[in-house]
């Protein structure tokens, strides 16, 4: 809706520093009791806390910026800083470019077989013939700590596919 309303996702402040629109999560947590497992593990006991001991915490975090940065770092670490990557100014995906002749659909299938989901760029073309090749990498729904490991799987399959092209 922000895009439709013409709200810019990037800009600059008066000092010329780059600014980006980010998603921020604000969470309020209240500790109102204690749950204790019983011996044997078959049940638990709940004890409400006295009013004086009820605690409230607020957590604020920048969600997508950290995930974006973690994915970019993983790509640079695994494939090098010169590997073509498009996007990132807004949205929750990056596009990992692939060399000509690389079958992005077969590559996405091989990556999926290893438990990581990507989408081939050619899937979004009307005709597979002449379609650009690449992998759409989503990071919006992936926990920060899982990004590096998931991309290591992607990178291993990409390296194998490129080796087959040149082998």
């Amino acid at each position: 809706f922000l895009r439709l309303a013409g709200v810019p996702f990037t800009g600059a402040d008066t000092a010329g520093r780059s600014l980006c629109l980010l998603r921020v999560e604000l969470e309020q947590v209240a500790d109102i009791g204690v749950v204790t497992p019983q011996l044997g593990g078959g049940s638990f006991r709940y004890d409400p806390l006295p009013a004086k001991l009820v605690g409230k915490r607020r957590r604020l975090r920048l969600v997508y910026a950290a995930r974006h940065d973690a994915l970019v770092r993983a790509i640079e670490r695994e494939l090098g800083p010169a590997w073509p990557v498009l996007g990132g100014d807004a949205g929750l995906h990056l596009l990992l470019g692939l060399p000509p002749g690389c079958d992005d659909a077969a590559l996405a299938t091989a990556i999926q077989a290893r438990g990581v989901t990507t989408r081939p760029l050619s899937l979004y073309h009307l005709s597979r013939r002449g379609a650009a090749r690449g992998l759409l990498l989503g990071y919006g729904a992936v926990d920060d700590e899982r990004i590096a490991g998931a991309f290591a799987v992607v990178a291993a399959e990409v390296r194998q596919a490129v080796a087959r092209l040149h082998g």
Side-chain angles (χ1 to χ4, degrees), residues 113-150:
R114 293 187 58 191
V116 177
T117 301
T118 63
R119 296 284 182 249
L121 179 60
S122 62
L123 180 70
Y124 300 97
H125 287 264
L126 292 176
S127 168
R128 287 202 30 96
R129 191 167 24 104
R133 305 300 172 162
L135 295 173
L136 192 61
L137 307 174
Y139 56 85
V142 182
D143 293 331
D144 300 13
E145 27 325 307
R146 292 187 56 227
I147 289 176

Side-chain angles (χ1 to χ4, degrees), residues 26-152:
L26 176 63
E27 180 180 14
Q28 187 162 336
V29 179
D31 297 320
I32 59 171
V34 177
V35 176
T36 309
Q38 298 298 303
L39 290 175
S43 63
F44 63 89
R45 180 174 134 188
Y46 172 75
D47 295 310
L49 292 173
K52 288 182 183 179
L53 297 179
V54 170
K56 292 183 180 179
R57 300 184 309 274
R58 294 181 97 184
R59 291 188 285 210
L60 177 70
R61 57 188 200 134
L62 303 175
V63 179
Y64 299 129
R67 292 176 185 171
H68 169 272
D69 294 347
L71 181 55
V72 168
R73 282 192 307 274
I75 293 168
E76 289 176 351
R77 182 177 49 256
E78 295 284 343
L79 299 175
W83 197 274
V85 178
L86 301 172
D89 293 335
L92 302 175
H93 296 84
L94 292 176
L95 178 65
L96 185 70
L98 294 174
C102 192
D103 185 346
D104 59 352
L107 186 54
T109 300
I111 293 167
Q112 179 68 49
R114 293 187 58 191
V116 177
T117 301
T118 63
R119 296 284 182 249
L121 179 60
S122 62
L123 180 70
Y124 300 97
H125 287 264
L126 292 176
S127 168
R128 287 202 30 96
R129 191 167 24 104
R133 305 300 172 162
L135 295 173
L136 192 61
L137 307 174
Y139 56 85
V142 182
D143 293 331
D144 300 13
E145 27 325 307
R146 292 187 56 227
I147 289 176
F151 188 76

